[in-house]
Amino acid sequence: MEKKVISEAVIKRLPKYYRQLRLLSEQGQAKVSSHALAQMLGITASQVRQDFCNFGGFGQQGYGYDVEKLKGELGAILGLTKEYAMIIVGAGNIGRALAGYQGFGKYGFRVKALFDAAPASDRVGELPLYSMDRLESYLRAETIDMAVIATPKQVAQQVADRLTELGVTMIWNFAPIDLTVQPGVVIENISMSESLLVLSYRANENKD
Amino acid sequence: MEKKVISEAVIKRLPKYYRQLRLLSEQGQAKVSSHALAQMLGITASQVRQDFCNFGGFGQQGYGYDVEKLKGELGAILGLTKEYAMIIVGAGNIGRALAGYQGFGKYGFRVKALFDAAPASDRVGELPLYSMDRLESYLRAETIDMAVIATPKQVAQQVADRLTELGVTMIWNFAPIDLTVQPGVVIENISMSESLLVLSYRANENKD
């Protein structure tokens, strides 16, 4: 397939479509129109069709989309046809919360272990918790696709460097700092403090 | 001041500027140029000046910006000149992690209490944990600016409705569902699963 540049806005809508399709599938719905999908996402039907055009269109709009087929095609585009083994670096509040959260398992993401500079115990729930000293030997022995960085911001870049040198190619960063990674490594940042400040901005913007 | 429509992209950069200014201030730096700020954010200097023009420009670019003054002005725009009292609804993994996280205090956000449909105890750390039955009486007695929704998605909309009927005007939503709120209420969503799926998309996009 010829490579197309997909816009950021379209990429960010893909999970929203997928989430809706999962829901429709659970509800046993067989078909969905671009109008109905558009309404669920709060966008226009023409935007839905335009988005899908980036990926070949997914079948005839006149008859609506087949829910199972569309869910499967979007899932494949999102890389959800396989399992991902992940580790969590940083066993503070956020690292522990993510370890305990079951919600990502349905997409195929499995937490295998946690690491911490000063582990307070040797397990977090069912999962092993190791000292950071063991990161290198663990990553040489195990096949790990992805790492969550949930460390303090001061050490986050150094942790990212260690992880990528050991072959981790997917990083999900919860530390409040923008990290630099080498080509071939993908990174997504969840910046909670930025989101909080945007909320605070919006609460005040009409009050001048 | 005349009302200007500020673009989403600019609003999302405001916290990034503010975070950098805080850092420069901590390091004792007195002045910063638009070029230096641009480099820190990975954008162009002309973008920085354009962004700041939305808010009156913040002083002469030729001499650089005064770090303390700019931090103060951005802080005021972000609504950080006061304190916000917040509650957390949902005391599962995410709600507990947020309750234990100290990082938002520096921006003036103070967690006062947690609520849960089936509280497992009467405290989370130092904070009181109440049953949802007490939400109405609590919110009538206390002044609460903001609520975090960290409930399962099935009840998130209903919780949002209860909160806003009781006068909460800021909602920070961690439930994996888009919520509808009445005019005058501001809401920000943190969708962890969407971020995870974007990461997964990017890891796979060049592998077709």
Side-chain angles (χ1 to χ4, degrees):
Chain A
M1 204 168 91
E2 205 182 309
K3 280 278 162 290
K4 280 181 85 164
V5 176
I6 312 291
S7 84
E8 284 299 296
V10 174
I11 293 171
K12 284 189 194 311
R13 276 195 293 273
L14 290 176
K16 292 183 193 284
Y17 288 120
Y18 185 73
R19 203 168 68 175
Q20 280 303 334
L21 268 299
R22 269 182 65 96
L23 202 66
L24 294 172
S25 166
E26 279 167 26
Q27 292 166 352
Q29 202 172 311
K31 289 271 187 183
V32 66
S33 68
S34 50
H35 283 275
L37 262 180
Q39 211 163 24
M40 292 164 197
L41 270 81
I43 56 177
T44 65
S46 102
Q47 184 70 71
V48 172
R49 291 189 295 265
Q50 227 173 293
D51 286 356
F52 289 180
C53 260
N54 285 291
F55 305 98
F58 304 133
Q60 287 171 285
Q61 58 172 89
Y63 297 87
Y65 302 100
D66 182 290
V67 167
E68 289 308 316
K69 195 159 159 273
L70 183 54
K71 175 171 155 262
E73 294 191 278
L74 285 170
I77 289 166
L78 288 167
L80 303 181
T81 48
K82 55 187 171 190
E83 297 243 316
Y84 296 86
M86 61 199 255
I87 60 168
I88 296 173
V89 181
N93 288 307
I94 297 296
R96 282 168 184 271
L98 291 171
Y101 184 63
Q102 306 296 319
F104 308 132
K106 66 176 176 237
Y107 300 120
F109 294 84
R110 312 275 170 217
V111 182
K112 298 293 182 183
L114 291 92
F115 288 83
D116 198 84
S121 59
D122 61 357
R123 303 197 82 77
V124 173
E126 305 279 294
L127 295 164
L129 168 60
Y130 300 119
S131 160
M132 282 298 282
D133 305 339
R134 293 192 49 186
L135 188 67
E136 278 73 14
S137 62
Y138 181 90
L139 286 177
R140 282 198 197 99
E142 305 288 331
T143 304
I144 295 296
D145 305 293
M146 177 178 150
V148 174
I149 297 183
T151 65
K153 66 178 173 189
Q154 292 79 0
V155 298
Q157 180 65 56
Q158 181 210 321
V159 166
D161 294 343
R162 278 173 75 180
L163 289 165
T164 53
E165 268 164 40
L166 288 153
V168 173
T169 56
M170 298 168 73
I171 290 181
W172 200 19
N173 176 39
F174 282 73
I177 185 174
D178 291 328
L179 302 178
T180 314
V181 289
Q182 60 203 41
V185 177
V186 291
I187 185 162
E188 267 287 304
N189 297 293
I190 289 240
S191 179
M192 291 197 286
S193 64
E194 285 176 19
S195 167
L196 181 62
L197 296 189
V198 167
L199 177 62
S200 165
Y201 169 82
R202 289 191 205 285
N204 288 279
E205 69 181 328
N206 297 318
K207 287 182 185 162
D208 300 339
Chain B
M1 204 168 92
E2 205 181 307
K3 280 279 161 292
K4 279 181 86 165
V5 175
I6 312 289
S7 83
E8 283 301 296
V10 175
I11 293 170
K12 284 191 195 310
R13 275 195 294 273
L14 291 176
K16 292 183 194 285
Y17 288 121
Y18 185 74
R19 203 167 69 174
Q20 280 303 334
L21 268 300
R22 270 182 64 95
L23 202 65
L24 293 172
S25 165
E26 280 166 26
Q27 292 166 352
Q29 201 171 313
K31 289 271 186 184
V32 65
S33 67
S34 51
H35 282 275
L37 261 179
Q39 211 162 24
M40 293 165 197
L41 269 81
I43 57 178
T44 65
S46 103
Q47 184 70 73
V48 171
R49 291 190 294 265
Q50 226 174 296
D51 286 357
F52 289 180
C53 260
N54 285 291
F55 305 98
F58 304 132
Q60 288 169 284
Q61 58 172 87
Y63 296 87
Y65 302 99
D66 180 289
V67 167
E68 287 309 315
K69 195 158 160 272
L70 183 53
K71 174 171 155 260
E73 295 191 278
L74 285 171
I77 289 165
L78 288 167
L80 303 182
T81 49
K82 56 188 172 192
E83 297 242 316
Y84 297 86
M86 61 200 256
I87 59 168
I88 296 172
V89 181
N93 289 307
I94 295 297
R96 281 168 185 271
L98 291 171
Y101 184 65
Q102 306 295 322
F104 308 132
K106 65 175 177 238
Y107 300 121
F109 293 84
R110 312 276 170 215
V111 182
K112 299 293 183 183
L114 290 93
F115 289 83
D116 197 86
S121 58
D122 61 358
R123 302 196 82 77
V124 172
E126 306 278 293
L127 296 164
L129 168 60
Y130 300 118
S131 160
M132 282 299 282
D133 304 340
R134 293 192 49 186
L135 188 67
E136 277 72 14
S137 62
Y138 181 90
L139 287 176
R140 282 199 198 96
E142 306 288 331
T143 305
I144 295 296
D145 306 293
M146 177 179 153
V148 173
I149 298 183
T151 65
K153 67 178 174 189
Q154 292 79 1
V155 299
Q157 181 64 56
Q158 181 210 320
V159 166
D161 294 343
R162 279 172 76 180
L163 289 165
T164 54
E165 268 164 38
L166 288 154
V168 173
T169 57
M170 298 168 75
I171 291 180
W172 200 18
N173 176 39
F174 283 73
I177 184 175
D178 291 329
L179 302 178
T180 314
V181 291
Q182 59 203 41
V185 177
V186 291
I187 184 162
E188 267 286 305
N189 297 293
I190 290 241
S191 179
M192 292 198 284
S193 63
E194 285 175 19
S195 168
L196 181 62
L197 297 190
V198 167
L199 177 61
S200 165
Y201 169 80
R202 289 192 205 283
N204 289 278
E205 69 182 328
N206 296 318
K207 289 182 183 161
D208 298 342

